Amino acid sequence: MKAAKKITKGTILRNREIAPGIFTMDIKSRWMGKKSRAGQFVNIKAADDTTDPLLRIPLGIHKIRGEEISLLYKVVGAGTKLLSLRSPGGSLDMLGPLGKGFDVSPVIRRKKAVAVLIAGGHGIAPLFALAEELTNKMRKVEFFIGACTREEITCVEELKKIGAGVRVSTDDGSRGERGRVTEMVMEYLSGDGKDAEHGTIYACGPMPMIRAVQDVSKATGIPAQVTRDEYMACGIGACRGCAVETTEGVKLACTDGPVFNAAILKWDKETVEK
Amino acid sequence: MIDLKVRIGKTIFKNPVWAASGTFGNGEEFTDFLKITEIGAVVTKTVTRSPRRGNPVPRVVETPSGLLNSIGLENKGVEWFKKEQMPFLKELGVGTIVSIAGETPEEFVECAGKLTGKNRPDAIEINLSCPNVFHKGARRRLFAQDPKITEKITKAVKKKIKCPVITKLTPNVTDIGEIARAAENGGADAISLVNTYFGMAVDAEEMRPVLGNVTGGVSGPAIKPMALAAVWSAYNEVSIPIIGIGGIMTGLDAAEFILAGASAIQVGTANFIDPGRCAGVLKELKEYLNRKKIKRIRDLVGKLKV
């Protein structure tokens, strides 16, 4: 059966800048709150009744709580800039929930399984909802957050509050360990994190980080579910814009993903250089 | 009751609002958003004789009031389409127009030849105008930039199959009228225009093109004025029906194209923003016709007061 999705209007409750250029928007929407799963996304209109911006913006669902969802987004262009200016009380046109979310069953099935979550920058967006789902079900969550510098690190206190173990790294060493987040994960997995060998890695972040996570998964034998973020137009599998090369042929980030088994991802020259 | 019927060759379509090729899949992705049988026809995503992987990503990017794409006719081939996609449309009973393409004139004919028999379409649209693929042996970059080859392919496909043939044209030409006449001379039952306009987007910070394929085709509201002018020019050159395409978002946009000479229209990019938009365009067009007291859609075609 196909998953239910529709266009619906939610009410903006809060829209706040939590770090320079990074915002969270809380939205009241019974439909999205009920139907969304961690790892899915919504395709939203930054503004109504305009052709510029023309397309919807795909945003990962950051929190799913009752009849509310939250979105975490970075201002990168005209659409997200407009979105950042929206005020509470206004309505938000959303299409969703879209895509396949994270598969939590490997962690749910085994009581002792550890979930290793790896976020790069605002890639933390969909992983928060996953962490919350898993800690609610009394599973152990080890959360690794990496960014270029300390200003881009978000959600640490909130994650600790829901019971996740949190470790931070920055490229410039301004917060947490200095270096790549995947180096920190490797260190953990070969030391304190020995018990993670029966767990699952979940990761969301920029392309080079996802590739490094693929390497970690290969080296340790721990399966990894990772997200692929590609330019997309429709979000429902019609435009074929968000192509992802895999060992199983061309797949779409919007309907086959955005979450993929890291083992099947292939990288052509263009994507490596990005 | 307004008479919305549109006749193309021997086929009658129930109304003039169709979903454009490449923006609607085979319709299955849209069943959550509209009743597909309400619209006049679905023009399916272009198929080719053999499967195509498509172009490297990024394949789509937004431009001011427009969408720039370079998908590269990714498809699993005509045999797969006939087996996996066609039955859904046939069972539904919606008007079905299959878009075909090829790298050579022979590939068009071969592809069309596979679309006969039990699950045959109501019409075939020959896509001579995709800006993102290489057309072998064409004197120009696209087949539809060359009147001789436009006529030749139209004629050859027409000879191969019984259903009506619609030739889809590119606006990237100096004289659209000349190409429209060539399609008519080739025996096309109708022409559809416009396909996308050549375009590109540049990331100045990274000093790179945004699209993986460097250039692409622009669609959406940004191209509507140019598309209207192209339809009007073609309307003044040929007597076969014209299917108007280019940035149609509303029923009023549809009426504009019909006034400029289109007998039917296709909704494209709008499907990506509102997957139920085709039904909305049809509803709004009916409201317009009611307001203008027009009883038959064909009475509106080309009725621009100039």
Side-chain angles (χ1 to χ4, degrees):
Chain A
M1 209 185 84
K2 286 205 308 184
K5 54 183 181 293
K6 69 173 186 183
I7 293 175
T8 183
K9 297 233 177 184
T11 307
I12 300 168
L13 300 172
R14 286 165 289 273
N15 190 18
R16 286 181 304 216
E17 189 166 17
I18 58 165
I22 299 174
F23 288 74
T24 55
M25 179 183 271
D26 303 334
I27 304 138
K28 186 167 171 66
S29 168
R30 201 184 146 87
W31 170 265
M32 294 300 173
K34 273 175 95 167
K35 300 287 180 184
S36 302
R37 292 289 167 268
Q40 288 189 297
F41 65 101
V42 287
N43 223 353
I44 61 110
K45 269 188 188 170
D48 295 331
D49 304 320
T50 177
T51 62
D52 194 12
L54 180 67
L55 300 177
R56 290 172 181 271
I57 305 170
L59 295 174
I61 300 168
H62 179 52
K63 286 179 192 166
I64 305 160
R65 290 176 174 172
E67 297 186 356
E68 274 182 37
I69 61 163
S70 301
L71 306 173
L72 182 148
Y73 60 96
K74 188 176 179 179
V75 174
V76 291
T80 41
K81 174 76 195 161
L82 254 177
L83 191 65
S84 72
L85 301 172
R86 299 290 304 272
S87 310
S91 85
L92 187 73
D93 188 311
M94 300 181 282
L95 165 58
L98 302 174
K100 295 197 175 102
F102 293 109
D103 177 11
V104 296
S105 65
V107 178
I108 297 302
R109 267 203 312 266
R110 297 173 72 108
K111 245 187 166 161
K112 293 221 167 110
V114 179
V116 177
L117 276 56
I118 310 170
H122 61 290
I124 199 161
L127 291 175
F128 188 96
L130 177 67
E132 192 161 48
E133 178 178 348
L134 292 172
T135 54
N136 279 343
K137 289 177 176 152
M138 311 306 288
R139 291 298 180 272
K140 191 175 170 193
V141 173
E142 296 293 343
F143 211 120
F144 296 82
I145 308 173
C148 295
T149 186
R150 64 176 181 181
E151 274 91 37
E152 297 163 10
I153 302 287
T154 60
C155 307
V156 173
E157 295 313 312
E158 266 190 292
L159 281 168
K160 284 182 180 164
K161 221 185 278 174
I162 63 168
V166 185
R167 292 174 175 79
V168 172
S169 74
T170 49
D171 294 351
D172 64 0
S174 55
R175 184 166 175 184
E177 284 188 36
R178 179 193 294 267
R180 302 278 179 199
V181 66
T182 41
E183 290 163 9
M184 186 170 53
V185 172
M186 264 318 261
E187 223 167 274
Y188 161 79
L189 289 174
S190 51
D192 301 351
K194 274 276 185 226
D195 54 343
E197 63 184 323
H198 297 299
T200 301
I201 294 170
Y202 299 92
C204 178
M207 183 89 70
M209 189 201 91
I210 296 298
R211 295 201 70 196
V213 169
Q214 192 183 29
D215 294 340
V216 169
S217 172
K218 218 174 186 175
T220 59
I222 303 171
Q225 297 179 29
V226 300
T227 62
R228 281 292 296 269
D229 182 18
E230 297 295 341
Y231 283 88
M232 61 176 72
C234 67
I236 59 170
C239 74
R240 306 204 70 80
C242 55
V244 172
E245 292 275 353
T246 76
T247 54
E248 299 163 7
V250 178
K251 291 184 181 270
L252 298 178
C254 68
T255 48
D256 298 312
V259 179
F260 290 94
N261 172 2
I264 68 164
L265 293 179
K266 288 196 336 194
W267 314 87
D268 55 28
K269 194 164 162 283
E270 277 82 4
T271 48
V272 173
E273 283 176 354
K274 212 161 43 176
Chain B
M1 195 63 184
I2 309 167
D3 177 4
L4 289 170
K5 288 196 277 296
V6 179
R7 189 191 169 110
I8 306 292
K10 282 179 200 152
T11 305
I12 290 174
F13 294 92
K14 65 193 277 190
N15 68 57
V17 176
W18 304 354
S21 177
T23 68
F24 209 71
N26 75 334
E28 264 180 288
E29 292 88 348
F30 290 78
T31 48
D32 286 340
F33 304 98
L34 80 166
K35 208 174 149 207
I36 294 175
T37 47
E38 269 184 32
I39 65 175
V42 172
V43 189
T44 57
K45 165 100 183 132
T46 299
V47 289
T48 47
R49 187 189 60 178
S50 314
R52 290 177 58 92
R53 291 186 71 79
N55 287 331
V57 294
R59 290 176 169 186
V60 288
V61 63
E62 181 161 346
T63 55
S65 294
L67 171 65
L68 175 68
N69 90 80
S70 180
I71 308 294
L73 297 188
E74 184 200 333
N75 79 97
K76 295 196 176 96
V78 64
E79 298 278 11
W80 171 86
F81 172 82
K82 206 179 164 189
K83 198 160 153 258
E84 303 291 334
Q85 305 264 279
M86 201 64 190
F88 169 80
L89 291 158
K90 279 287 154 187
E91 223 165 276
L92 214 59
V94 65
T96 301
I97 300 169
V98 177
S99 169
I100 63 166
E103 288 184 5
T104 62
E106 293 71 31
E107 280 185 26
F108 277 88
V109 175
E110 232 180 286
C111 195
K114 307 269 189 210
L115 293 163
T116 53
K118 188 169 135 256
N119 274 345
R120 67 175 174 277
D122 298 303
I124 280 182
E125 183 174 82
I126 49 180
N127 181 2
L128 300 179
S129 46
C130 176
N132 301 319
V133 295
F134 181 64
H135 290 163
K136 277 184 201 151
R139 280 192 307 131
R140 302 185 192 281
R141 187 167 159 185
L142 308 180
F143 289 136
Q145 287 174 324
D146 181 339
K148 281 203 185 98
I149 210 153
T150 297
E151 183 176 337
K152 183 182 160 187
I153 296 175
T154 304
K155 200 176 267 171
V157 172
K158 190 71 196 154
K159 213 172 131 189
K160 186 81 185 170
I161 49 160
K162 287 200 183 93
C163 72
V165 169
I166 303 166
T167 303
K168 186 165 180 179
L169 306 184
T170 177
N172 299 299
V173 291
T174 43
D175 181 2
I176 191 76
E178 185 190 12
I179 310 287
R181 277 197 310 273
E184 187 175 42
N185 291 338
D189 296 283
I191 49 174
S192 54
L193 64 156
V194 300
N195 206 322
T196 54
Y197 285 80
F198 283 135
M200 70 189 279
V202 172
D203 182 336
E205 287 305 325
E206 300 291 330
M207 301 185 179
R208 289 171 191 273
V210 179
L211 289 182
N213 199 40
V214 185
T215 62
V218 184
S219 63
I223 71 163
K224 195 183 80 172
M226 290 99 90
L228 276 168
V231 166
W232 175 244
S233 298
Y235 180 69
N236 288 297
E237 290 290 337
V238 297
S239 52
I240 51 175
I242 294 167
I243 319 300
I245 319 165
I248 295 171
M249 308 292 281
T250 66
L252 263 191
D253 293 336
E256 291 172 16
F257 274 85
I258 296 168
L259 280 163
S263 292
I265 59 95
Q266 294 176 14
V267 177
T269 302
N271 296 317
F272 294 152
I273 299 136
D274 175 0
R277 194 78 284 262
C278 282
V281 168
L282 178 61
K283 181 169 165 275
E284 292 154 9
L285 178 61
K286 280 187 203 163
E287 282 163 8
Y288 170 84
L289 295 169
N290 272 326
R291 189 151 49 80
K292 293 289 178 188
K293 300 193 167 47
I294 293 164
K295 296 272 182 289
R296 298 184 307 182
I297 188 73
R298 58 183 177 276
D299 293 340
L300 189 68
V301 177
K303 288 292 147 38
L304 200 61
K305 296 176 187 166
V306 283

